Amino acid sequence: MHRLIVANWKMNPDTPSEARALVTATKLVAGNLRHTNVVICPPAVFLALLKPTRKIALGAQDISTELRGAYTGSISAPMMKYSGVTYAIIGHSERRALGETDEIINQKIKIALSQGLRVILCVGERARDEHGHYLKHLREQLEKAVYRLPRPMAKGLIIAYEPIWAIGVDAKQADTPAGFLEQSIFIRKVLSHWCGRTMALELPILYGGSVNPKNAVSFIKEGEANGLLVGHESLRADHWREIIKIVDHA
Ligand code: 13P
C-alpha cells in the first residue's frame, strides 16, 4: 500500500502567491517519490490556481451535505470534483467544534463517496482519561460516521486519527507511536463490525496532530501509520518537504 501524506492548510495562507509557492516547493520533492502519494487540502478559493499533478492530488477541507441549492456559503462535492479535487476531509475536529454533528458527518461521507471522492474521516478524543472513556467516544464517532453506509463504500474511506489534545501549534505534545498503534487497532476492530475484518485491515489509517520532521518517521515505522495528516508544519515549505521525504524513505 502506498503511504499517504496529506497537508491540511486550514485557513492559510493569506495570498494566492504564497499558496502557489507551497505547491511549487512540494513539486520539488513529489516527482521523486516511490512509496508515497501527496494530497494538498487548500482553502477552496485556491483550488482553481493549483492544478493536481500525477504525484500531488488536491483535497477539500470540507464539503456540503447537499448536492445543490439554496445553501449560502457551502460548496458541493460535484463543484469540488470539477475543481480537481479527489479527496475530502470530513469531520475535522475544528468543524465539529463549530457544531458539525455525527449525523451531518454521516451525510457528508455518503455524498462524497457517492460522488467518487475519497473521504478522509477525522476522529479523535478531546482528552485521554485513565478509565478509557475516550474509547467509547471514539467508537461512537466511528459507528455514527458509517451508520447505514453500504459496506462496499469502505473502499473509498481513509481514517485520520487526530486526538484533539495533540492538534495545533499550542498543543503540548503529539501522541506516541505506541499510542497511535493502539488506537488504530481499536479503530479497525470497531469498523470491522461494519465492513468486515478483511476490509477493516486494509483501511488506511493516518496519524494527525503536531506532526513534524522529528516525529514523522516514528509514526510510520513504530506506529505503523499508513500516512500522516499534517497541519501547521505543511505551511513551512522546508519542514513539509522534509516530512514528505522522511515518510517516503521510512
Ligand atoms: P497540526 O499538525 O497543526 O497539529 O494540525 C493537525 C491537523 O488538525 C490536521 O488536520
Side-chain angles (χ1 to χ4, degrees), residues 6-8 10 89 92-94 122 162 166-169 171 208-211 229-234:
V6 185
N8 178 8
K10 308 189 179 184
I89 294 177
H92 193 280
S93 58
E94 287 151 17
C122 298
E162 294 208 307
I167 293 178
V169 266
S210 295
V211 170
L229 178 50
V230 188
H232 62 275
E233 289 282 64
S234 70

Side-chain angles (χ1 to χ4, degrees), residues 86-249:
T86 43
Y87 291 80
I89 294 177
I90 293 180
H92 193 280
S93 58
E94 287 151 17
R95 297 222 57 90
R96 291 180 192 255
L98 292 173
E100 191 160 291
T101 62
D102 289 310
E103 290 68 32
I104 293 174
I105 289 164
N106 174 256
Q107 180 67 19
K108 288 184 175 179
I109 295 175
K110 207 183 310 172
I111 287 267
L113 291 175
S114 62
Q115 293 299 309
L117 295 175
R118 297 205 66 188
V119 166
I120 302 169
L121 166 67
C122 298
V123 293
E125 74 281 359
R126 184 162 299 285
R128 212 173 264 179
D129 60 296
E130 57 189 52
H131 304 296
H133 291 313
Y134 68 95
L135 291 174
K136 185 168 162 267
H137 175 71
L138 200 55
R139 175 194 296 276
E140 250 177 51
Q141 281 188 331
L142 290 162
E143 287 175 347
K144 290 184 174 170
V146 300
Y147 183 66
R148 292 199 167 163
L149 296 187
R151 263 170 81 139
M153 277 195 167
K155 283 201 197 80
L157 196 63
I158 296 156
I159 308 292
Y161 172 65
E162 294 208 307
I164 297 172
W165 50 267
I167 293 178
V169 266
D170 298 328
K172 290 204 180 66
Q173 61 205 11
D175 196 358
T176 60
F180 167 75
L181 183 56
E182 246 174 67
Q183 305 315 313
S184 60
I185 292 167
F186 181 76
I187 290 168
R188 289 189 203 284
K189 195 170 142 216
V190 171
L191 289 178
S192 68
H193 296 296
W194 166 59
C195 64
R197 196 168 167 272
T198 312
M199 266 187 161
L201 286 173
E202 283 169 8
L203 277 176
I205 304 186
L206 318 180
Y207 171 74
S210 295
V211 170
N212 59 41
K214 286 204 180 83
N215 62 20
V217 72
S218 64
F219 282 107
I220 301 291
K221 280 196 157 167
E222 295 149 48
E224 298 176 27
N226 303 113
L228 302 169
L229 178 50
V230 188
H232 62 275
E233 289 282 64
S234 70
L235 296 160
R236 294 188 54 173
D238 49 344
H239 285 196
W240 170 235
R241 280 208 308 258
E242 221 178 308
I243 295 170
I244 297 174
K245 276 195 253 173
I246 287 168
V247 168
D248 197 52
H249 291 153

